[in-house]
Amino acid sequence: MPPSWVRDHLPKVVPQCLFQEREWQEWEFRRAAEMLQEGFPEAFAWLVDYAMNLRNPEVDEAVDDILE
C-alpha cells in the first residue's frame, strides 16, 4: 500500500475499528504500531498522537516503550 494512502485513511478507520474497549487499547496500539513504524512513518506518527490522547496509562507506557 502506498504510505500516503495509509496516512490518509487511518484517521477515518481507527476511531471506528480500534480502541473501543479500554482493556484492549494497549494491545491494539502495540500491534498497530508494529505494522506502521517501519514502512509508514507519517501514519505511525498519527497513531502515536491518537493513542496518547486516549488517556490510558497502559497505552502511555506502550507509547514510551515503542518510542525508546
Side-chain angles (χ1 to χ4, degrees):
M1 288 186 273
S4 61
W5 186 91
V6 174
R7 178 201 63 224
D8 292 345
H9 288 83
L10 202 65
K12 299 171 190 169
V13 174
V14 165
Q16 296 174 5
C17 299
L18 294 176
F19 308 117
Q20 302 299 309
E21 297 181 39
R22 190 166 178 83
E23 63 271 7
W24 284 97
Q25 288 178 342
E26 181 261 341
W27 186 89
E28 290 176 329
F29 169 73
R30 286 185 185 273
R31 301 301 77 82
E34 288 171 355
M35 290 188 294
L36 297 173
Q37 192 170 19
E38 294 289 321
F40 304 96
E42 290 177 350
F44 173 75
W46 180 88
L47 179 69
V48 167
D49 185 56
Y50 186 89
M52 289 172 40
N53 286 308
L54 292 171
R55 307 288 186 237
N56 180 333
E58 292 177 354
V59 174
D60 294 342
E61 185 178 326
V63 168
D64 291 342
D65 290 347
I66 288 180
L67 294 179
E68 288 182 344

